[in-house]
Amino acid sequence: MAFTDTFHQITDELRLNGGAIVYASSYTVDGGLFNGVKALEISIANDPNITLYETTKQPQENEYFIVADRDAAYQALYSQGMLQVFEGVLVNGAAISRIQYNDAMLLVDVLGSGGRYTFRANPQVSAAKALGGGVWEIPALAFPTFRDDALQLLSTLPSGTQASSYIALAGSDDFINFTGGNTAAGYLDWTKDWTIGITVVGYPQHSDSKYQCLFASGNNVIMIRRGGTNQSLYIASNNTGYASQGINTWQPINDGDRIQFEHVAASNHLRYFKGQAGQTPTLVGVLTVNAANIAANDPGDDFAIGRGNGLTNYEELLHWDGGLNNFVGQSSQMGTSNRLQYFEAIGEAFDELPFYDDLASWAKLGEDTYPTVTDTKGALTGGELMNGTPEDFVVIDSPDP
């Protein structure tokens, strides 16, 4: 049973819902009534944090939680499925909302009060050092290994990705391709209603202002233009970034984001939604497909994810760089109710959710035998990873339940 699916005995008189626990942090109290006492702070989503104190003292106030062994309480949470991102710090994977990092810092945002951990490289320290307030300093030489290990644990969580694997695209010449079925499905056809979405598992940042393809069918493409920490939506009907149409709204794409596009044929509107698992999505912007793209509308029976055009001149359109999983497609507008279910779901497989019956496509990406990619709903056929390797089907390590 998953950590979030049951109540956990914290003390003899306290049980907590695993779905409500956000993180647990062990420390030694400095000052006050419990000076020098071992403590374990547990963050509860939408409720005040609670703290367990290992002491034989019996304070007159009844609001304190006393335990015989703080380390045993910590170990119990760890063994039951919480993730140790750092010695003394446990996180409920289902509660992670964002991970941001570079060569000198790792930020982990979680739900609940005070929900941010900051790990930063410091050449002046020889061992990891807690500064308080959720901030740690890591020896600079050890930081790359620490960061990479943490990302391997955190950025591929099954709670957020809702899958056991994903496909890692290198941005060179590899892409996911379905050879048939899209004429009926209608994805990327500017004359039809449709909705498509995908989950990002790792997204390298580039500041070159180039266009990279996320979705393609025939010569119609949906692109993301790279702008360093921020990116923007563009489309075209000629399979290039040249003379393409975009929105002047730049927002970051973060590791773990779900990205969704909903096309409304009657208004020629393409709605761009984005958000982390478990959160209400943001409407990034609405692009009105212009007359030139409508006139040149050229979808095919094929459908591709991450397919560039191989050109290196002004018409260049790059292949997608980064991991992807859980592609979904619907041959109609998804609508507000189903969209909220799609974005806010944590832990459940999509086929367990009410909106699943309305989908035309669900490709789990990486769960088939390489190089096959199967649309489990059946709208798209002939799917496989092109120009890849078996190692591009990345298995997500999950903690023992």
Side-chain angles (χ1 to χ4, degrees):
M1 182 175 291
F3 182 82
T4 57
D5 291 339
T6 188
F7 278 80
H8 299 270
Q9 191 82 43
I10 306 300
T11 73
D12 291 341
E13 300 176 343
L14 176 66
R15 294 185 182 186
L16 294 176
N17 187 328
I21 297 174
V22 179
Y23 62 84
S25 178
S26 62
Y27 65 100
T28 300
V29 179
D30 184 12
L33 177 65
F34 293 107
N35 183 48
V37 168
K38 290 182 177 181
L40 180 66
E41 181 183 24
I42 302 176
S43 172
I44 312 298
N46 303 315
D47 281 312
N49 293 358
I50 65 171
T51 302
L52 312 181
Y53 298 96
E54 179 186 324
T55 180
T56 57
K57 297 178 181 179
Q58 293 296 329
Q60 294 180 352
E61 298 85 349
N62 292 326
E63 65 265 24
Y64 296 107
F65 294 96
I66 307 301
V67 293
D69 189 336
R70 187 278 311 270
D71 293 340
Y74 177 95
Q75 183 61 34
L77 291 173
Y78 177 54
S79 64
Q80 291 165 18
M82 292 192 75
L83 305 175
Q84 181 168 271
V85 295
F86 192 75
E87 185 175 355
V89 175
L90 299 173
V91 174
N92 178 359
I96 293 175
S97 60
R98 184 176 70 160
I99 303 168
Q100 186 174 343
Y101 56 94
N102 54 34
D103 290 338
M105 185 173 293
L106 173 72
L107 304 178
V108 180
D109 287 341
V110 295
L111 307 177
S113 60
R116 165 168 285 193
Y117 290 119
T118 302
F119 305 94
R120 59 195 187 200
N122 185 348
Q124 304 302 317
V125 300
S126 58
K129 180 180 180 182
L131 302 182
V135 179
W136 280 265
E137 290 187 337
I138 309 297
L141 292 178
F143 183 81
T145 299
F146 164 78
R147 177 202 59 202
D148 293 346
D149 288 346
L151 288 173
Q152 181 178 2
L153 173 67
L154 296 176
S155 67
T156 59
L157 296 173
S159 59
T161 60
Q162 295 175 301
S164 61
S165 301
Y166 67 94
I167 293 180
L169 298 179
S172 51
D173 62 350
D174 52 348
F175 64 97
I176 301 160
N177 190 62
F178 294 90
T179 58
N182 192 54
T183 300
Y187 310 145
L188 270 70
D189 186 334
W190 309 132
T191 69
K192 296 181 179 180
D193 290 348
W194 44 265
T195 306
I196 52 178
I198 204 162
T199 302
V200 177
V201 185
Y203 182 73
Q205 295 179 350
H206 301 275
S207 302
D208 52 18
S209 298
K210 291 186 176 182
Y211 303 89
Q212 58 182 359
C213 174
L214 183 52
F215 297 116
S217 177
N219 284 313
N220 288 3
V221 290
I222 291 179
M223 301 167 283
I224 297 297
R225 191 173 188 183
R226 312 193 300 201
T229 57
N230 293 290
Q231 296 80 36
S232 189
L233 165 67
Y234 280 75
I235 68 165
S237 299
N238 62 357
N239 196 36
T240 77
Y242 176 69
S244 57
Q245 176 191 359
I247 59 174
N248 191 28
T249 302
W250 294 78
Q251 287 198 9
I253 294 176
N254 296 307
D255 194 12
D257 273 348
R258 291 175 185 166
I259 297 174
Q260 184 190 83
F261 302 101
E262 182 182 68
H263 184 254
V264 183
S267 60
N268 300 319
H269 285 168
L270 181 65
R271 299 169 178 153
Y272 172 21
F273 295 91
K274 183 176 69 68
Q276 289 279 310
Q279 298 186 0
T280 302
T282 298
L283 176 60
V284 178
V286 178
L287 183 150
T288 302
V289 182
N290 63 25
N293 275 310
I294 293 173
N297 183 43
D298 189 18
D301 198 40
D302 66 304
F303 181 81
I305 302 172
R307 184 197 73 193
N309 62 13
L311 300 176
T312 57
N313 59 10
Y314 65 93
E315 295 181 311
E316 179 181 50
L317 175 57
L318 300 176
H319 293 266
W320 189 263
D321 183 12
L324 298 168
N325 72 10
N326 277 330
F327 165 76
V328 297
Q330 184 170 320
S331 300
S332 60
Q333 301 173 46
M334 179 170 275
T336 301
S337 177
N338 281 359
R339 180 164 35 256
L340 290 177
Q341 293 173 24
Y342 167 69
F343 276 94
E344 294 178 357
I346 292 183
E348 307 96 335
F350 288 149
D351 57 3
E352 299 173 344
L353 297 169
F355 72 84
Y356 180 74
D357 289 342
D358 295 327
L359 294 181
S361 296
W362 180 29
K364 300 178 185 179
L365 304 187
E367 296 193 24
D368 300 292
T369 301
Y370 172 84
T372 301
V373 179
T374 301
D375 179 354
T376 61
K377 295 285 285 189
L380 300 175
T381 59
E384 65 177 300
L385 175 63
M386 310 298 294
N387 305 319
T389 68
E391 288 72 28
D392 295 329
F393 278 36
V394 182
V395 176
I396 297 172
D397 295 324
S398 59
D400 295 331

